[in-house]
Amino acid sequence: MTYKEEYQNSLQNSIRFWQEKSADLPWYQKPSEVALKDDGGIHHWFADSKMNTCYMAVDYHCENGRSSQDALIYDSAVSGKSTRYTYGELKQEVAKTAGMLVELGVKKGDRVVLYMPMIAESAIAMLACSRIGAVHCVVFGGFAAPELASRIDDCTPVIILSASCGVEVNKIIPYKPILDNALKLSSHQPLKSVVLVRDELEDMPVPEMVDGFDVDWHSLKTIAKPVDCVPVRGDDLLYILYTSGTTGKPKGVTRESGGHAVAMKYSMKAIYDMNPGDVFWAASDVGWVVGHSYIVYAPLLQGCTSIFYEGKPIMTPDAGSFWRIIEDYKVKALFTAPTAFRAIKKEDPDGKLIKKYNISSLEKIFAAGERLDPPTYDWLVEKTGKPVFDHWWQTETGWAIVANMTGIEEMPVKPGSSTVPTPGFDIRILDDKGVELPTGEQGNICIKLPLPPSCLTKIYGDDNRFYNEYLSRFKGYYSSGDGGYFDEDGYLFIMGRTDDVINISGHRLSTGEMEEIVAKHKSVAECAVVGINDKLKGQIPLGFVVLKAGENITYQKLMHDLVQMVRSDIGAVACYKKTIIVKRLPKTRSGKILRKTMRQMVDGDEYIVPSTIDDPAIINEIELKIRAV
Ligand code: COA
Ligand code: AMP
């Protein structure tokens, strides 16, 4: 089967296509129909099947000869700990952890928030939720208390699972005080909070436990009884994962169990060319979609061994840590964000550390989260000698929308392109009026409905938001928020977001949200935050600030305040470190701030001053300010 045949088949006979792909999975009961349409015309794949994702990902493999194969290998470069879990051991751990949740009264359909570092228990807890039909909602450990609080209020969890601390390069981040703070800020209060007290390193904090509310993870696990998998419907939610939109209110992307399992398993072979027994490594964090899909669910659904890495690509202890992991565990495919490779390249430009390790097991390298820039691509290919593939995807889809389908037909790589549409995704480039653009012309990247399995079917807790934010702009299409074009060979080039979302080190954040925070400063009259190019992190935020009349705050004080405000409201991951004070902001006559023009000015890109600008003289003022910093 060629890629073209597979792709055409997926669009022309989509029901039969996905039915065939689902045949490999062990359902308790197959669905009566492959997709059920709701009133809004949205497809719910495998909706009335009976299944359990944890069963498919863990128990099934134990019943079919994989009990003693490694399922999960936890390697912590920050604490020096390494633990292997065979499928048999993973099943026991997950069943016990599920028992812990049952002990606390968690039932099918209940939400459970996880605010945890990259320790194996995070993956185990996700699977434990899935085992009993509870819906997990993992909040990235780098988010500050207000971000955690807004997610708690939105998904109203029965229980929160957390750990005493995370470890970041040379510092320990106590999680418990952040969690306590978040619970003070949130209106919703869970019944209990389970805290895993870490003690691998000497200076790890001992958290203060609140009597009757905080429960010690290890003690609870000792008394918990293992529980079995609970059958759920295919359209029951497996998880909610919040992602940034253009405003401060995070969007709870919902993931239905049935379609997710099918897409995950299909992608492991079709995109990554992974077979059962192979070792797969997604170097990401369970707080992001890559962690959900490719650290936890997809590799296990495919019967692979998944590497669970707590550490950074550099500094833990050096830029050789990725190559060390590949040698130690014989990794066959590596998937991470381009920023990780840029960081390695910066520290080890000649690739000396790559040569120190035996990376012969590695067959392919995949990158996503942001565009894989051609210089990084070239360096990686040259220094590793391995094929490297960019692929484009979003939290909303849970898997790649555009990729090189290396398990079907490996296509020639064009640096700068994520290659071709993944089967199931009917991609069109539309202009702002919704007219399809010809090859080579850049426009809004849209997906013609229906969306394939695993894609979101709604935004949690808000029935209209999915329609309003994704479907209303172009009737019959999902609007991705990214711009780009197809070339004459059908390769898609992603040219960046068309909204205020930015990608910092592959982490998706909202400049709109940062703007709301900066605007709260008492000296700030108005502001605009834009994402500018950064050699290491891809993009970083930059604030343009207009001070209130008569303000005499120093630049240093303002800068310090704004950095602290963004850190304590969003988190250090926002990397807000740059501000320029300007007299006024460029606006259109109708008052719209010209953020794109300012961004282009800072990046040194060509820009056209819109004819609707209120006062063209402002552009010169801004240019002078930018040149002065
Ligand atoms: N918990 C708490 N804090 C965290 C955190 C976490 N899980 N993750 C990051 N942070 C903090 C960092 O400590 C840092 O804080 P600081 O400003 O006080 O030093 C800040 O957030 C920024 O972190 P990061 O973006 O990771 O920058 P860095 O300079 O520490 O490291 C890289 C740079 C490139 C090495 C790092 O960004 C990286 O490993 N990127 C890979 C990206 C990735 O996996 N993306 C997932 C999508 S596939
Ligand atoms: P997230 O939902 O956090 O995965 O972020 C999704 C966004 O990241 C997309 O909408 C893109 O803007 C960007 N992105 C992800 N992968 C790529 C890629 N391979 N090339 C370009 N942009 C990407």
Side-chain angles (χ1 to χ4, degrees):
M1 179 81 78
T2 63
Y3 157 74
K4 243 189 196 140
E5 286 162 347
E6 178 91 350
Y7 182 66
Q8 270 158 12
N9 195 12
S10 78
L11 298 188
Q12 282 159 11
N13 311 302
S14 71
I15 297 292
R16 206 174 59 219
F17 181 87
W18 290 113
Q19 186 170 32
E20 280 169 19
K21 302 305 170 199
S22 74
D24 290 354
L25 283 162
W27 305 86
Y28 296 139
Q29 189 187 307
K30 293 198 169 160
S32 63
E33 285 186 52
V34 173
L36 295 180
K37 271 196 215 170
D38 67 19
D39 295 344
I42 299 300
H43 274 48
H44 297 261
W45 295 95
F46 311 96
D48 67 358
S49 61
K50 286 275 177 303
M51 59 164 303
N52 181 285
T53 305
C54 178
Y55 173 74
M56 291 175 164
V58 183
D59 299 50
Y60 172 75
H61 298 306
C62 294
E63 291 164 12
N64 288 275
R66 295 196 182 278
S67 250
S68 52
Q69 179 200 310
D70 285 336
L72 202 69
I73 301 178
Y74 165 62
D75 185 293
S76 173
V78 290
S79 72
K81 200 174 154 188
S82 163
T83 315
R84 288 171 184 260
Y85 299 86
T86 62
Y87 272 96
E89 288 160 349
L90 184 63
K91 181 180 160 191
Q92 279 176 14
E93 289 294 318
V94 172
K96 267 248 168 184
T97 307
M100 256 168 63
L101 298 173
V102 170
E103 188 77 30
L104 295 173
V106 180
K107 296 184 300 295
K108 183 173 162 215
D110 286 344
R111 274 83 52 221
V112 175
V113 160
L114 274 72
Y115 184 62
M116 297 187 64
M118 278 296 288
I119 50 176
E121 285 83 354
S122 304
I124 290 168
M126 289 163 76
L127 290 161
C129 289
S130 140
R131 191 169 189 85
I132 58 169
V135 180
H136 61 69
C137 171
V138 183
V139 180
F140 175 59
F143 278 130
E147 289 286 332
L148 177 56
S150 68
R151 286 154 173 79
I152 291 172
D153 274 338
D154 198 74
C155 77
T156 61
V158 177
I159 298 291
I160 296 202
L161 302 177
S162 188
S164 50
C165 63
V167 186
E168 275 294 295
V169 193
N170 295 323
K171 62 179 181 247
I172 289 179
I173 314 268
Y175 277 23
K176 181 67 167 55
I178 302 173
L179 174 58
D180 290 346
N181 232 335
L183 289 171
K184 279 191 201 128
L185 295 170
S186 65
S187 323
H188 174 79
Q189 296 298 302
L191 297 176
K192 297 273 179 215
S193 144
V194 186
V195 183
L196 188 148
V197 180
R198 297 184 71 177
D199 59 4
E200 307 94 287
L201 297 175
E202 259 178 20
D203 41 359
M204 283 181 160
V206 179
E208 264 182 49
M209 304 289 268
V210 178
D211 251 3
F213 179 65
D214 288 326
V215 182
D216 176 66
W217 185 301
H218 297 301
S219 319
L220 183 61
K221 201 169 145 212
T222 318
I223 57 163
K225 294 191 180 59
V227 297
D228 225 329
C229 296
V230 172
V232 300
R233 278 176 58 100
D235 58 1
D236 279 335
L237 295 189
L238 174 67
Y239 68 78
I240 302 164
L241 180 60
Y242 286 87
T243 189
S244 297
T246 49
T247 64
K249 192 172 162 30
K251 291 189 275 200
V253 168
T254 55
R255 190 81 64 223
E256 292 183 0
S257 307
H260 172 258
V262 175
M264 290 300 99
K265 184 150 168 54
Y266 173 63
S267 68
M268 280 307 280
K269 180 65 193 165
I271 297 177
Y272 304 102
D273 197 18
M274 296 297 289
N275 297 309
D278 288 342
V279 182
F280 188 75
W281 180 24
S284 178
D285 188 293
V286 285
W288 306 108
V289 67
V290 176
H292 280 63
S293 295
Y294 293 106
I295 296 178
V296 182
Y297 288 112
L300 298 181
L301 283 161
Q302 181 69 334
C304 294
T305 301
S306 180
I307 306 295
F308 195 100
Y309 175 66
E310 184 182 32
K312 300 259 176 184
I314 53 171
M315 300 179 288
T316 55
D318 58 26
S321 46
F322 272 28
W323 320 122
R324 193 258 309 157
I325 295 267
I326 290 164
E327 176 183 301
D328 281 359
Y329 306 116
K330 304 201 168 28
V331 172
K332 184 176 167 190
L334 165 66
F335 171 2
T336 193
T339 188
F341 295 124
R342 286 196 297 268
I344 295 172
K345 179 180 159 202
K346 192 165 167 240
E347 298 283 306
D348 182 22
D350 299 327
K352 288 194 183 115
L353 290 167
I354 304 177
K355 294 196 193 92
K356 219 179 116 183
Y357 296 93
N358 176 356
I359 59 163
S360 57
S361 63
L362 189 68
E363 292 182 8
K364 291 177 179 121
I365 299 176
F366 296 88
E370 52 176 316
R371 177 171 168 266
L372 176 59
D373 54 292
T376 306
Y377 168 82
D378 290 340
W379 179 85
L380 201 51
V381 171
E382 188 199 320
K383 299 298 174 211
T384 62
K386 309 287 177 185
V388 179
F389 307 98
D390 188 4
H391 58 332
W392 171 63
W393 55 303
Q394 304 187 313
T395 304
E396 287 83 344
T397 60
W399 62 306
I401 313 164
V402 172
N404 198 321
M405 309 298 294
T406 73
I408 296 173
E409 178 195 351
E410 196 176 305
M411 297 175 69
V413 170
K414 293 193 187 188
S417 167
S418 342
T419 317
V420 289
T422 305
F425 290 98
D426 187 356
I427 299 178
R428 309 292 172 101
I429 310 295
L430 305 182
D431 71 9
D432 287 345
K433 293 194 181 94
V435 177
E436 208 173 321
L437 288 168
T439 300
E441 275 192 43
Q442 191 172 322
N444 302 289
I445 307 177
C446 296
I447 306 165
K448 198 165 187 293
L449 298 177
L451 295 171
S454 165
C455 295
L456 83 172
T457 50
K458 68 174 198 164
I459 296 295
Y460 190 75
D462 190 338
D463 284 345
N464 300 323
R465 204 169 169 196
F466 179 38
Y467 176 78
N468 291 341
E469 294 202 13
Y470 298 92
L471 309 179
S472 64
R473 185 157 178 218
F474 304 111
K475 207 171 163 5
Y477 296 87
Y478 166 93
S479 171
S480 71
D482 281 294
Y485 66 92
F486 275 115
D487 76 359
E488 64 288 356
D489 296 322
Y491 279 52
L492 191 73
F493 288 75
I494 312 289
M495 303 308 289
R497 298 287 304 190
T498 54
D499 57 17
D500 297 330
V501 167
I502 59 172
N503 271 72
I504 306 166
S505 300
H507 305 145
R508 173 166 161 187
L509 291 146
S510 157
T511 52
E513 185 178 5
M514 293 180 214
E515 222 164 89
E516 286 169 28
I517 297 166
V518 172
K520 279 193 235 155
H521 191 285
K522 62 178 179 26
S523 303
V524 172
E526 63 174 340
C527 65
V529 178
V530 299
I532 58 165
N533 288 340
D534 181 78
K535 272 201 179 125
L536 175 65
K537 300 193 177 201
Q539 282 184 301
I540 49 164
L542 164 70
F544 287 93
V545 166
V546 178
L547 295 179
K548 285 181 183 159
E551 275 296 336
N552 56 4
I553 186 168
T554 63
Y555 176 74
Q556 279 70 20
K557 165 86 173 101
L558 178 74
M559 201 52 236
H560 173 266
D561 289 355
L562 296 182
V563 168
Q564 284 314 316
M565 285 166 75
V566 177
R567 280 179 84 94
S568 56
D569 275 17
I570 299 180
V573 277
C575 292
Y576 183 90
K577 288 182 181 151
K578 291 189 174 185
T579 300
I580 298 181
I581 300 177
V582 292
K583 225 165 56 185
R584 28 190 205 152
L585 294 172
K587 290 180 189 169
T588 61
R589 283 189 283 278
S590 59
K592 200 170 170 285
I593 298 173
L594 296 171
R595 293 182 181 79
K596 188 174 165 195
T597 312
M598 288 192 286
R599 174 170 54 76
Q600 288 170 324
M601 289 165 80
V602 179
D603 286 343
D605 292 348
E606 265 182 38
Y607 61 90
I608 298 166
V609 180
S611 57
T612 51
I613 190 164
D614 186 27
D615 180 356
I618 303 181
I619 295 293
N620 267 342
E621 288 169 25
I622 304 266
E623 270 290 9
L624 289 175
K625 281 285 183 180
I626 292 171
R627 276 196 234 130
V629 288

